[in-house]
Amino acid sequence: MNKAVLIVLLIAALLSPALAKTAPKESSHKSTTQVESKTSKDTQKEKSKEKQKDKQKEKQTDKQKKSKASKSTKSSKKSSKKSSGKIAKDDESPSDSTKKVSIKSDDPKAFTKALLYEKQGVEVEFVDATKKSRKSRKNGEKKPTKTETVGEYFDFSTMLIPITHEARLGSPYGIRDHRLHRGVDIQVEKGEPMVAAYPGEVIVSKYNQGGYGHYVLVQHENGLQTLYGHLAERTVKVGDQVYPGDIVGLAGNTGKSSGAHLHFEIRYGDVNIDPTTVVDFPHWQLKPGVEKYSKKKAIQAHRKIQSKLKIENVYIVKKGDTVADVAAFFYISEDAVRRINKLGKDQPLKVGMKLKGCM
Ligand SMILES: [Zn+2]
């Protein structure tokens, strides 16, 4: 054995632990110890041929270990997917031989998916995802809960359309009968389920005879509120937490309504948002660009309609007018006329008085 070979071997021995450290994480620990034991062997035997053999062996075992390791991580990933993320996979492939899928209860499209699965004859199981999402937030994987408003914008991309099929619109949003029709009237059948558009808390669930009839108002995490009016039946009460797709009531014809329909409003504080700027109801889909819906534009549009309303929302009392006449003009009750205009119970009208039909 000449000196040159020895030097080469020594260098190799010195370098190999360092090289081993740069090996992939999964096997770095094991391969380092292997390399160390091997190099001491080599220096003892000082046989390059054997070393080459050893190296080959080591390479092979390393490969095997690596493939084993990667296999095991793959399978563990798979199994963890199965246990925690089964839904994600099953969501996409309902045509499983088991014919049963799980849907996370906080999935914004849960209800829609359930409906579609049912049509396909697939059994649907709702699973509570609150625990998991809390956990993942703890782990720092906090994904913005899409319902949050991002700065100056609303994200309507995860809004669930509150009806379950394509539907024509009756009365649109806007000024009607000298008052602001604050939402849209959607033509649906009596008894149809009406669903929550976003996660939130029910803040009103009551009956209003002269107006909304049975109606539900939900406060959402993103600052928006949605209102569902003229319901035949309310299925939630104040304080209830709702998820998108949860049924808030059944469509009806209660309150000031002629024929079954859903009166649907989107509110942001005092600002009303025309639902048709977000949803294409006849095609039952969201409009493009709604993930970045300008708050400023929504407020401006509301102000514009308010100033128009100011002009239209005035009744100048003529000789002989009664509160009933004013009420008929505005299509509201006499009580409403008195309340809105702060008139006493028996306070008479004076000619020239300017009365409003809404606040
Ligand atoms: Zn309406």
Side-chain angles (χ1 to χ4, degrees):
M1 182 80 29
N2 62 40
K3 276 184 181 178
V5 174
L6 255 172
I7 289 163
V8 168
L9 278 171
L10 263 168
I11 291 167
L14 284 167
L15 279 174
S16 46
L19 283 170
K21 273 181 188 172
T22 62
K25 264 188 182 176
E26 286 164 1
S27 55
S28 69
H29 179 73
K30 276 181 184 170
S31 57
T32 310
T33 50
Q34 273 173 355
V35 169
E36 273 167 4
S37 68
K38 171 188 68 65
T39 45
S40 61
K41 230 197 245 171
D42 280 355
T43 39
Q44 276 176 357
K45 287 181 183 171
E46 294 186 346
K47 280 179 182 174
S48 58
K49 270 187 183 176
E50 269 189 26
K51 199 204 162 191
Q52 274 178 343
K53 270 186 187 174
D54 268 10
K55 254 194 174 174
Q56 276 176 345
K57 258 191 187 176
E58 190 216 326
K59 267 185 185 171
Q60 275 179 342
T61 49
D62 238 26
K63 258 190 184 173
Q64 281 169 350
K65 273 184 184 163
K66 268 187 195 172
S67 70
K68 255 193 181 176
S70 70
K71 262 185 192 171
S72 70
T73 48
K74 265 183 195 167
S75 64
S76 73
K77 266 182 196 169
K78 249 190 185 174
S79 63
S80 73
K81 248 191 185 174
K82 263 187 184 172
S83 60
S84 63
K86 193 182 180 185
I87 317 101
K89 195 202 160 209
D90 285 349
D91 272 354
E92 261 55 71
S93 55
S95 54
D96 220 302
S97 59
T98 52
K99 289 256 176 188
K100 187 173 179 178
V101 294
S102 303
I103 298 178
K104 277 186 276 183
S105 56
D106 68 346
D107 182 337
K109 296 277 188 286
F111 187 76
T112 319
K113 280 178 183 171
L115 280 176
L116 297 174
Y117 286 152
E118 258 172 47
K119 268 190 182 175
Q120 293 169 28
V122 178
E123 204 183 326
V124 172
E125 182 194 24
F126 284 95
V127 291
D128 197 329
T130 27
K131 269 187 189 171
K132 200 197 148 210
S133 59
R134 258 183 217 148
K135 207 178 173 186
S136 62
R137 244 173 262 160
K138 258 187 193 172
N139 293 346
E141 315 167 15
K142 194 198 175 237
K143 257 189 174 180
T145 56
K146 293 195 185 169
T147 49
E148 286 172 33
T149 49
V150 185
E152 271 125 52
Y153 299 95
F154 289 117
D155 181 0
F156 279 104
S157 68
T158 55
M159 187 179 115
L160 195 71
I161 301 171
I163 53 169
T164 56
H165 55 83
E166 298 184 356
R168 287 167 186 270
L169 286 185
S171 205
Y173 170 88
I175 295 171
R176 184 180 82 179
D177 304 336
H178 316 282
R179 301 164 65 215
L180 179 61
H181 184 227
R182 297 173 185 274
V184 287
D185 293 343
I186 310 163
Q187 292 180 2
V188 288
E189 302 280 321
K190 193 182 172 188
E192 270 189 47
M194 301 292 109
V195 301
Y198 280 115
E201 187 181 330
V202 176
I203 55 169
V204 179
S205 175
K206 70 175 185 184
Y207 182 69
N208 173 271
Q209 196 179 358
Y212 294 127
H214 285 293
Y215 77 102
V216 169
L217 180 63
V218 183
Q219 175 69 57
H220 305 291
E221 297 156 10
N222 54 6
L224 292 168
Q225 294 178 343
T226 51
L227 185 145
Y228 313 79
H230 307 305
L231 302 171
E233 200 181 303
R234 289 172 274 124
T235 52
V236 288
K237 54 183 193 306
V238 172
D240 280 356
Q241 297 294 320
V242 291
Y243 286 100
D246 280 354
I247 298 169
V248 295
L250 307 179
N253 184 27
T254 58
K256 203 178 128 189
S257 164
S258 55
H261 73 279
L262 172 72
H263 172 88
F264 177 62
E265 288 182 18
I266 303 173
R267 299 175 175 180
Y268 176 60
D270 294 335
V271 173
N272 286 96
I273 293 171
D274 179 356
T276 61
T277 57
V278 184
V279 183
D280 174 358
F281 283 101
H283 295 104
W284 196 39
Q285 60 192 21
L286 295 173
K287 291 199 168 170
V290 291
E291 67 280 357
K292 222 177 165 195
Y293 189 94
S294 166
K295 254 187 214 181
K296 202 176 162 188
K297 272 191 183 168
I299 294 166
Q300 280 172 348
H302 183 79
R303 280 197 193 133
K304 202 176 165 188
I305 211 157
Q306 285 293 332
S307 57
K308 203 175 164 194
L309 187 65
K310 258 189 187 172
I311 303 161
E312 290 211 21
N313 182 36
V314 177
Y315 183 93
I316 302 168
V317 177
K318 302 183 298 287
K319 200 182 172 189
D321 277 347
T322 62
V323 174
D325 294 323
V326 183
F329 176 79
F330 286 124
Y331 296 88
I332 55 176
S333 68
E334 292 181 42
D335 281 347
V337 173
R338 291 193 182 278
R339 194 181 63 243
I340 292 162
N341 296 283
K342 293 179 178 130
L343 294 171
K345 206 187 167 193
D346 299 309
Q347 190 180 333
L349 301 182
K350 286 179 197 162
V351 175
M353 234 181 184
K354 283 179 181 172
L355 299 178
K356 291 191 289 182
C358 63
M359 300 297 254

